[in-house]
Amino acid sequence: MAVETAALDATDAPADAPTDLLDARDLPPPKPLRETLERLADLDDGVVLVQVNDRAPQHLYPRLDERGYAYETVDVDGDVVTVVWSP
């Protein structure tokens, strides 16, 4: 939970919302993109997705824009963490 807390503190995501963690560090492309989008589609309203990766998910950003999500990517202890939420 430390990664989620640190990421939420560093972004504009709702800090009091429930979170869902997706650790994509060991997934080969395009699995992080696919799993992130599938997880977002299945999440309840108000849940913030926290994706931990080893690099910024550049191909994910346009997909999130298309779907109307808000997101921020921050560095948390050497990991790239993208926080995604519905505005």
Side-chain angles (χ1 to χ4, degrees):
M1 194 64 145
V3 171
E4 289 117 316
T5 302
L8 290 173
D9 289 346
T11 67
D12 290 332
D16 58 344
T19 60
D20 185 38
L21 178 66
L22 172 61
D23 188 343
R25 289 176 285 194
D26 294 328
L27 298 177
K31 284 190 177 185
L33 172 68
R34 186 177 316 130
E35 289 196 23
T36 299
L37 294 175
E38 288 173 359
R39 182 91 53 107
L40 284 168
D42 292 339
L43 286 180
D44 291 334
D45 290 340
V47 176
V48 175
L49 180 66
V50 179
Q51 184 215 60
V52 181
N53 209 328
D54 58 354
R55 62 189 169 280
Q58 297 297 327
H59 298 290
L60 177 63
Y61 301 145
R63 304 286 180 94
L64 295 175
D65 289 333
E66 290 170 0
R67 290 165 173 78
Y69 287 103
Y71 59 92
E72 288 184 57
T73 299
V74 295
D75 181 275
V76 176
D77 295 330
D79 289 316
V80 178
V81 182
T82 300
V83 181
V84 184
W85 68 96
S86 293

